Amino acid sequence: MKHRAGILLLTALLLAGCRANNGKEKSVTFEDDLEFLKKFKPVIVLKDETGRAQVALVAAWQGRVVTSTADGPSGLSFGWINRDLISSGRHEEHINVFGGEDRFWLGPEGGQFSIFFAAGDPFDLEHWYVPSAIDWDPFDLVSADDRQAVFGRVMVLRNYAGTEFRLAARREVRLLNTGAVSKIVGIDLGPELRSVGFESVNTITNTGAAEWKKETGLLSVWILGMFNPSPSTTIIVPFKAGPEPELGPAVNDAYFGKVPADRLTVGEGVAYFKGDGMRRSKIGISPLRAKPVLGSYDAQNKVLTLVTFTLPKGVSDYVNSMWELQDKPYGGDAVNSYNDGPAEPGAKPLGPFYELETSSPAAALKPGESLTHVHRTIHLQGPEAALDRVARAVLGVGLDDAAQAFGRGK
């Protein structure tokens, strides 16, 4: 495999504290996770009037949503949490994989305008570093109540080309009530389904004296959600069908080597991707192909997860995160999904977990200008028939379609 030495080094650095099951049961409750988190960091909990829909946030981890539940303290905890790393107190050099359902990052990751690689370094794991401002440094808590919390951070970043960015980041995380969730999905959820929904409103502002230009590199808002995998979890990514010359390839699966057919099925207007945490792989959908929604279905726990996000019409400049010097640095993806797994045969995975990710367009901002990207996460639990009705309405496919994509049957 390419960059074998770098992969093995980072695996040794990170995985000493990252166990496959993180020392907890797959069906861990929200209360269990909340009590664990409170031992190490102050936790903000958003909740509705019933106490069933709850969301846990940590300001010290860039104001991220760590986990949530649709069924109160004893309900299933949806976010993947790296208990071993958190409890160790270690500060890892390359990345601190704390977990969380909605974490704030910035792109691009690779290429000549990368903020993860220093100028002249090769694009391999040994030289890959997540900027501290979006990895270790805490965000300030601006305000919080039962329904929302606001966080902020001023930061300075430098890209591979040597361009300096001075910016302010602001995150507003809001709990969505049942009415808001129904409006987002476009149908009445009905009494059979339990739900929790939240949105992060992420704004970056150019606080420097120089304009951010394509020629010297641009940034983008990048939101990543990490979830617990299972052998029966299928990631569902709708996209715009049509001739490739006009819209480009339907799916980019070249990030970590081509994804085999038993893990990725591309149909007419939809891609099915395994979320089992068993093989390191990643896919992306370009802004010309993307739709403002993606999701996953965990048949084991009967959980339908939906992610919606802002996708401006007619905007095609998205930063490219491929780990190489790029011919098209603004030919990147608007939607990504990552499935964790061993980086090398016999190695341990980072989690395991799977991710649902969205990005903003490239931010060509003059001094004082801002860009905002909204990312919403919704979890639904209940009878399969009710979940199937929502999946068909929102994702355009039924749960049986997702199950049969990999020959599992319903």
Side-chain angles (χ1 to χ4, degrees):
M1 180 182 285
K2 187 179 180 182
H3 308 316
R4 176 184 175 88
I7 290 172
L8 291 176
L9 174 62
L10 189 57
T11 298
L13 289 170
L14 296 181
L15 299 184
C18 300
R19 298 293 182 257
N21 63 4
N22 268 314
K24 67 177 185 178
E25 298 298 326
K26 292 180 180 178
S27 57
V28 68
T29 68
F30 181 78
E31 185 176 38
D32 288 338
D33 273 343
L34 186 59
E35 291 307 308
F36 169 78
L37 292 170
K38 286 180 177 178
K39 294 177 183 177
F40 303 97
K41 295 293 180 183
V43 182
I44 300 164
V45 179
L46 310 182
K47 62 178 69 176
D48 67 5
E49 61 278 359
T50 70
R52 296 181 69 175
Q54 298 194 32
V55 178
L57 306 94
V58 174
W61 298 333
Q62 302 80 50
R64 81 181 63 191
V65 175
V66 183
T67 191
S68 64
T69 187
D71 215 9
S74 62
L76 186 66
S77 187
F78 295 122
W80 177 78
I81 298 174
N82 190 340
R83 290 194 171 206
D84 288 345
L85 180 61
I86 293 168
S87 60
S88 75
R90 290 192 310 275
H91 182 181
E92 301 287 5
E93 185 180 12
H94 289 260
I95 182 175
N96 290 274
V97 190
F98 297 127
E101 292 193 59
D102 181 316
R103 79 178 190 271
F104 178 90
W105 263 18
L106 296 167
E109 185 175 8
Q112 54 267 46
F113 301 130
S114 168
I115 57 171
F116 290 70
F117 292 90
D121 280 352
F123 296 108
D124 58 34
L125 281 168
E126 185 177 353
H127 295 87
W128 174 82
Y129 296 88
V130 182
S132 186
I134 55 173
D135 178 59
W136 183 261
D137 297 348
F139 274 33
D140 298 321
L141 175 62
V142 178
S143 65
D145 57 33
D146 285 347
R147 297 304 179 89
Q148 70 173 14
V150 181
F151 309 92
R153 177 80 188 187
V154 175
M155 58 185 75
V156 179
L157 300 170
R158 186 177 296 274
N159 70 12
Y160 191 90
T163 304
E164 182 180 88
F165 298 90
R166 293 183 175 270
L167 66 145
R170 179 181 172 91
R171 269 172 62 81
E172 302 175 27
V173 180
R174 302 167 184 160
L175 182 67
L176 302 171
N177 61 28
T178 303
V181 171
S182 293
K183 185 175 181 180
I184 290 167
V185 301
I187 57 173
D188 183 10
L189 295 180
E192 294 180 302
L193 294 178
R194 305 181 303 281
S195 68
V196 61
F198 55 88
E199 67 179 10
S200 65
V201 181
N202 305 276
T203 301
I204 55 173
T205 301
N206 179 355
T207 59
E211 181 179 353
W212 298 354
K213 298 181 179 181
K214 293 177 68 173
E215 295 77 14
T216 51
L218 300 176
L219 302 176
S220 71
V221 175
W222 184 6
I223 304 300
L224 306 92
M226 306 170 81
F227 306 99
N228 295 303
S230 80
S232 61
T233 294
T234 301
I235 297 157
I236 306 165
V237 188
F239 60 84
K240 297 174 185 175
E244 284 199 12
E246 296 175 12
L247 299 178
V251 177
N252 173 14
D253 68 344
Y255 283 94
F256 301 119
K258 186 170 180 61
V259 182
D262 64 343
R263 299 197 146 267
L264 174 64
T265 299
V266 180
E268 185 68 15
V270 64
Y272 300 103
F273 184 42
K274 279 192 176 180
D276 60 0
M278 298 297 291
R279 179 174 176 132
R280 183 173 181 258
S281 49
K282 183 174 180 177
I283 62 171
I285 309 292
S286 77
L288 296 178
R289 291 278 191 181
K291 293 185 175 182
V293 65
L294 67 156
S296 64
Y297 182 60
D298 176 359
Q300 177 175 302
N301 291 300
K302 302 291 189 295
V303 178
L304 177 64
T305 297
L306 303 171
V307 169
T308 71
F309 63 102
T310 47
L311 183 67
K313 291 183 179 180
V315 179
S316 59
D317 284 343
Y318 280 67
V319 301
N320 189 340
S321 283
M322 296 292 289
W323 288 19
E324 60 191 14
L325 294 177
Q326 303 155 353
D327 294 331
K328 297 180 179 180
Y330 300 102
D333 295 322
V335 171
N336 292 101
S337 181
Y338 170 78
N339 184 56
D340 192 36
E344 288 281 312
K348 293 183 182 297
L350 289 175
F353 52 83
Y354 72 92
E355 291 183 323
L356 303 178
E357 313 171 9
T358 72
S359 293
S360 76
L365 301 178
K366 296 178 181 178
E369 289 186 337
S370 301
L371 175 146
T372 297
H373 180 69
V374 180
H375 179 106
R376 302 180 187 91
T377 304
I378 298 166
H379 300 289
L380 302 172
Q381 286 181 288
E384 275 196 323
L387 294 172
D388 182 74
R389 176 173 59 90
V390 176
R392 291 181 183 278
V394 181
L395 299 172
V397 297
L399 300 183
D400 53 344
D401 299 317
Q404 292 168 9
F406 301 111
R408 288 195 294 260
K410 189 172 178 180

